[in-house]
Amino acid sequence: MIAIGGDEIIFKPPGHLVSGHFLAKVPKAWILLACIGLLALNLRGPFVAVAPVVDLMQADLGFSPVMLGLLTSIPVLCFAVAAPLASLATRKFGAEFAVSLTILGVLAGVIVRSAGGPGPVVVGTVMIGVAITVGNIAVPLIIRRDFSPWRQGTAMGVYTAALNIGSFVTSMATAPLAEVAGWRMALASVGILAVVAIVFWTFAVGPRTAFVPSGAVVNGGQEHSAVKGSGWITAGLTLGFAGQAFSYYAVTAWLPSYLHDELDMSASAAGAGSSLFQIFAIVGGLGVPLAAKYFSTTTTAVTLGVLWMAVPAGLLLAPELWWLWSVSGGISQGGGITIIFIAIIKLAKDQVSAGRMSATVQGIGYCFAAVSPPLIGFVHDAAGSWTPALLVILVSTLVFFVSTTLSVRKVPKGR
């Protein structure tokens, strides 16, 4: 493994991920994969946790509905605005320190958010958003650097699956905890996952590596020749990610309301029904690397695009089959983000290029994600119908379909 700091090339022994005897007998790839999974559990749950307790927070803090909406939107805005800074931090301080920064930042943000009134809630939410942004950039780089090319897809699938597991578990557990201990303790409990993650990460890489900046851009792994038309590929992946993120946040925000309005479901039934959209993302995240071993990446992208477009089209044409469209959307949204990140780590010529490509794709893509829920809400309110709103989502899924399919054609078939 090679780390480049300035003009100096530093060689690290292959076993630098394991310290002491505690984990000595466990395969290093398993340890790293477990660390990535534990980290991913902290990268969505902390801001998803707000939704189940918004009513309690509003009654206690006197927040307006707009302010409550911002508590979910702020982290997504951070994903967009702070992506270049997160990429720079990962290059300058090293990937291991960036992961530690992510976990500790999430933990600190969770504590601050649960500690006081409206000000700490907002400040803590911003801290969580910035910390998660660093993790969003660092994880694909670590996977590219430390996994062999034929294992990178699997590692990315585990990462994506863990993101959705964290969201699902957090959203299901927060409301019951809030009923027993109040919303502050319920939101603070999310920090338990961060504590577990930082302890495991420290054991895995060693205290010095985890908490002392390396002062170098970490490079290594497989280097590739420059891909012809890489600028166009980056643009295509950016559009694909924008379509993916816009569709995901739109469906996440408004599917329960749609089920309530169109099918007369109760609020609890609509919420439980929409959870299918979240939990089946695990199938998509783990299924894409498996599919890539037997089919071309283009075929996989086309399949995901069709599944994504089936969500708004199905809700328009056959709303009584909402459960089928929720499952289809879950698989496609989990697989969609996975295939885009696989393309980034396999098509970038080196680690620095991968970091910059990832920052561009996520930074611009999450801008579209941030405007998605309010835009869909505005279109629905203005039209007095869900049909125009679903048509907007259909366009965004079409953008994902076309842009992603065209951009991943040069990704080699998995082994």
Side-chain angles (χ1 to χ4, degrees):
M1 190 170 302
I2 307 171
I4 300 179
D7 296 324
E8 181 183 3
I9 299 180
I10 305 168
F11 292 90
K12 292 186 178 182
H16 79 283
L17 285 169
V18 184
S19 61
H21 300 289
F22 181 71
L23 301 172
K25 295 183 179 180
V26 182
K28 299 176 184 65
W30 292 12
I31 295 170
L32 182 56
L33 201 58
C35 288
I36 288 171
L38 286 171
L39 171 63
L41 292 177
N42 291 276
L43 297 188
R44 294 297 180 269
F47 70 88
V48 169
V50 171
V53 296
V54 288
D55 291 339
L56 296 175
M57 295 179 70
Q58 185 174 27
D60 192 13
L61 301 174
F63 277 161
S64 67
V66 172
M67 192 65 225
L68 289 171
L70 281 175
L71 293 182
T72 301
S73 298
I74 284 173
V76 183
L77 288 170
C78 290
F79 296 169
V81 175
L85 181 62
S87 179
L88 179 63
T90 302
R91 294 199 307 269
K92 294 298 183 183
F93 301 138
E96 285 81 5
F97 183 78
V99 169
S100 301
L101 200 63
T102 296
I103 303 171
L104 293 176
V106 167
L107 181 59
V110 166
I111 292 172
V112 170
R113 185 178 63 179
S114 304
V121 167
V122 174
V123 171
T125 301
V126 172
M127 292 171 64
I128 291 169
V130 173
I132 291 176
T133 306
V134 176
N136 288 342
I137 300 296
V139 171
L141 297 181
I142 290 175
I143 289 174
R144 185 184 188 279
R145 185 196 67 185
D146 290 336
F147 285 89
S148 58
W150 54 90
R151 300 295 184 196
Q152 289 171 348
T154 300
M156 187 57 67
V158 169
Y159 167 67
T160 305
L163 287 177
N164 288 280
I165 291 172
S167 297
F168 180 76
V169 171
T170 302
S171 61
M172 294 296 288
T174 303
L177 283 173
E179 291 178 1
V180 175
W183 68 266
R184 284 187 173 85
M185 287 301 297
L187 293 183
S189 68
V190 179
I192 295 173
L193 292 174
V195 172
V196 173
I198 195 62
V199 169
F200 199 93
W201 181 247
T202 303
F203 271 116
V205 304
R208 180 174 179 81
T209 303
F211 300 115
V212 178
S214 68
V217 176
V218 181
N219 214 337
Q222 294 288 321
E223 300 301 319
H224 311 291
S225 58
V227 178
K228 185 177 180 180
S230 58
W232 287 108
I233 290 174
T234 300
L237 291 174
T238 301
L239 280 175
F241 191 86
Q244 155 83 18
F246 184 99
S247 304
Y248 169 77
Y249 283 97
V251 174
T252 297
W254 294 109
L255 182 58
S257 298
Y258 171 87
L259 295 176
H260 173 75
D261 294 346
E262 297 296 313
L263 299 175
D264 201 28
M265 286 187 177
S266 67
S268 58
S274 65
S275 68
L276 291 173
F277 177 72
Q278 301 295 337
I279 198 64
F280 270 88
I282 298 170
V283 177
L286 297 177
V288 162
L290 181 63
K293 294 179 183 294
Y294 301 101
F295 307 102
S296 69
T297 311
T298 301
T299 300
T300 305
V302 168
T303 304
L304 291 171
V306 170
L307 289 173
W308 240 137
M309 292 182 67
V311 180
L315 291 175
L316 281 169
L317 300 175
E320 67 278 4
L321 296 178
W322 62 268
W323 56 271
L324 179 60
W325 315 132
S326 293
V327 170
S328 174
I331 294 172
S332 56
Q333 59 103 343
I337 191 172
T338 303
I339 198 170
I340 289 172
F341 280 129
I342 288 175
I344 290 172
I345 63 180
K346 288 186 177 292
L347 294 180
K349 67 177 181 178
D350 54 37
Q351 199 76 342
V352 173
S353 298
R356 288 172 178 164
M357 185 183 293
S358 181
T360 299
V361 168
Q362 294 190 63
I364 296 175
Y366 278 122
C367 287
F368 287 87
V371 303
S372 172
L375 177 60
I376 294 300
F378 172 78
V379 171
H380 168 258
D381 291 342
S385 167
W386 282 107
T387 298
L390 288 172
L391 289 174
V392 173
I393 298 174
L394 182 61
V395 171
S396 71
T397 58
L398 178 62
V399 170
F400 164 79
F401 184 178
V402 174
S403 299
T404 304
T405 300
L406 292 176
S407 302
V408 302
R409 290 176 300 167
K410 294 184 180 180
V411 175
K413 184 177 177 180
R415 287 185 282 174

